[in-house]
Amino acid sequence: MKTEESMSIELVMTNPGIVLVDREKLNALYGTIEREIEAFVPDVTSEVGRKAIASLAYKVARTKTAIDDAGAELKSEWQKKSQAVDLSRREIREKLDALKDKARKPLTDWEIAEEERAAKCKEVLEFLQGAASVPSDYDVTAVQARLARVDGIVLEKDVYQKLHYAAVIAKANAVIALQSAIARIQQEELNRVELAKL
């Protein structure tokens, strides 16, 4: 009948990796081997005795090698599983990122359109604010062209939103300034003509 200790060693030799994941079995194995060594009576005086000592040491070494090999195999399996998990994680991240982008697309599109709207409104406001200033080399035709452009700008409240009031004021100021510039340039022309007659 087999003892519990011999069964323990047999179990380890059949499945050496078991002690790598079960600390209790590993401690039992240490204890079994240590008791076997302590129970062994070494005899260095005869060749048979010396062979028995070498055999016992070899048995321990073989157990160590079996466990170490099993550990390397187990590690290799875990690495393969780890690589598979990493591959799955990467695939999941990519697919879920794509789905997140798809879910968010209406908002993203709105944000882009909103940025473009705000930028365009700001550009128009800056033009209207600058339109009131007429360069000295402008003639009536150039000022009238600018006035026509200013007049043609439609300032919808829902488009301009918080810039609407500032844009309306800027447009009104530009129209007044341009009309005044046209009147001034026309008057200057008349004055030149009159001066030439005199």
Side-chain angles (χ1 to χ4, degrees):
M1 187 172 172
K2 290 182 178 178
T3 65
E4 193 177 321
E5 287 186 355
S6 65
M7 283 171 66
S8 172
I9 289 178
E10 276 181 30
L11 175 67
V12 170
M13 293 314 288
T14 307
N15 181 14
I18 199 164
V19 296
L20 296 167
V21 291
D22 189 335
R23 178 59 65 174
E24 205 173 285
K25 284 188 174 50
L26 179 61
N27 289 335
L29 177 68
Y30 287 150
T32 301
I33 293 171
E34 198 168 6
R35 281 190 292 281
E36 190 176 338
I37 292 167
E38 286 171 0
F40 179 75
V41 180
D43 175 17
V44 291
T45 59
S46 69
E47 192 174 329
V48 172
R50 289 191 295 272
K51 280 185 180 177
I53 294 169
S55 176
L56 179 61
Y58 177 70
K59 183 179 174 185
V60 175
R62 209 175 77 225
T63 304
K64 177 205 76 175
T65 303
I67 293 170
D68 195 50
D69 290 348
E73 194 176 320
L74 193 59
K75 183 181 175 185
S76 175
E77 284 174 24
W78 285 349
Q79 281 175 334
K80 283 176 190 169
K81 286 178 183 174
S82 174
Q83 287 167 356
V85 167
D86 284 345
L87 189 66
S88 291
R89 284 174 60 213
R90 188 163 50 250
E91 184 183 327
I92 288 165
R93 278 198 308 266
E94 287 169 2
K95 285 187 176 177
L96 290 180
D97 274 345
L99 289 173
K100 175 201 74 178
D101 292 344
K102 186 177 181 180
R104 199 186 189 285
K105 189 177 186 314
L107 177 59
T108 303
D109 290 348
W110 178 86
E111 286 172 344
I112 291 167
E114 186 62 12
E115 279 178 24
E116 288 172 358
R117 180 202 63 74
K120 196 171 182 181
C121 291
K122 188 178 176 190
E123 187 182 309
V124 170
L125 176 61
E126 286 170 359
F127 166 73
L128 289 172
Q129 288 169 338
S133 175
V134 178
S136 58
D137 61 337
Y138 265 37
D139 61 7
V140 171
T141 308
V143 179
Q144 284 173 334
R146 183 180 281 188
L147 178 59
R149 187 175 166 200
V150 168
D151 268 336
I153 294 171
V154 179
L155 300 173
E156 296 168 352
K157 195 167 188 176
D158 60 330
V159 173
Y160 282 80
Q161 297 175 12
K162 60 184 179 182
L163 294 179
H164 183 257
Y165 181 74
V168 168
I169 297 297
K171 182 177 178 179
N173 289 340
V175 168
I176 292 167
L178 293 169
Q179 287 172 341
S180 297
I182 290 168
R184 178 181 49 77
I185 294 168
Q186 287 173 336
Q187 186 60 50
E188 286 171 359
E189 280 293 317
L190 285 172
N191 289 348
R192 268 197 296 276
V193 170
E194 286 296 318
L195 194 61
K197 283 180 186 177
L198 291 172

